[in-house]
Amino acid sequence: MISLSFVDTLLLMFSAIIIENFIFSKFYGCCPFLGVSEKPDTALGMGMAVTFVITLSSAVTWIVYYGILVPLKLEYLKTIAFILVIAALVQFIEMFLRKFVPALYSALGIYLPLITTNCAVLGSALVNIQNNYNFITSVCYGFAAALGFTLAIVVFAGVRQRMEFAEPPRAFAGFPLTLIAAGLVAMAFSGFSGIHL
């Protein structure tokens, strides 16, 4: 198991947020990125929900993998086990939001249960296991990757809000313009790819 120093963990977190951003570099979680990024408030709410789920699932899936699957030699079941853990966490979030933050619950709509199938959540858990991170590094990486997701979705929500004032040709109106804007924002983030930490 890889044990990183404090500085190396901070560099890994910075890399997960900016350089290897889940949306712009790995293309994980594009469905909620495009679906919930119409308003910055909703995008921030989705980002916070995803941050909570990814951070908690990074911890729980690490425990499930190294505490249950590895001792029983059932490592090949990791994807199924991780999906079950993530589904349970999302149900918990959904019940919490419905009870305590109903405005955000209704704003997120169908995209809230889709966190279960958000490949950013599952991808974070699998990257932790694939890179053989220890528990603390796994949780830090999951948190940082989720912050990168939140940063991407909130920045893109701001771009989409500005696009409401644009008058594009009819062929580009609506979703095509959204995809072009997403590509341009991704290109802007790709400028950080030359940084090697």
Side-chain angles (χ1 to χ4, degrees):
M1 212 166 307
I2 295 175
S3 182
L4 299 176
S5 69
F6 179 72
V7 173
D8 289 338
T9 303
L10 287 179
L11 291 174
L12 177 72
M13 291 176 71
F14 177 77
S15 176
I17 294 170
I18 302 291
I19 300 168
E20 295 178 15
N21 187 287
F22 268 14
I23 295 211
F24 298 132
S25 176
K26 298 184 184 219
F27 306 108
Y28 295 166
C30 287
C31 176
F33 171 71
L34 293 172
V36 188
S37 60
E38 290 177 3
K39 297 178 184 172
D41 307 355
T42 310
L44 183 61
M46 175 58 116
M48 289 179 1
V50 168
T51 299
F52 181 76
V53 170
I54 288 180
T55 305
L56 200 55
S57 71
S58 293
V60 175
T61 54
W62 190 94
I63 292 169
V64 166
Y65 185 77
Y66 288 106
I68 298 172
L69 299 179
V70 170
L72 296 175
K73 307 226 183 299
L74 297 173
E75 296 94 338
Y76 60 91
L77 292 176
K78 71 177 175 250
T79 305
I80 294 170
F82 292 178
I83 289 172
L84 290 174
V85 167
I86 292 164
L89 290 172
V90 170
Q91 287 299 324
F92 170 72
I93 297 273
E94 193 171 355
M95 290 186 304
F96 176 82
L97 289 179
R98 187 183 309 144
K99 176 121 177 131
F100 296 107
V101 194
L104 181 59
Y105 174 78
S106 61
L108 293 175
I110 188 66
Y111 293 99
L112 187 58
L114 286 179
I115 294 176
T116 303
T117 57
N118 185 343
C119 49
V121 181
L122 180 60
S124 175
L126 292 174
V127 165
N128 287 333
I129 299 305
Q130 179 184 11
N131 291 336
N132 208 18
Y133 293 146
N134 64 17
F135 180 76
I136 300 296
T137 306
S138 293
V139 173
C140 290
Y141 178 79
F143 178 70
L147 284 182
F149 178 90
T150 304
L151 173 70
I153 199 169
V154 169
V155 165
F156 190 59
V159 170
R160 285 185 75 174
Q161 208 169 34
R162 294 288 304 236
M163 286 180 357
E164 290 177 9
F165 301 108
E167 295 179 11
R170 271 184 44 188
F172 292 106
F175 198 64
L177 186 60
T178 301
L179 290 177
I180 291 169
L184 291 173
V185 174
M187 284 174 56
F189 267 76
S190 73
F192 295 107
S193 65
I195 300 173
H196 298 289
L197 302 175

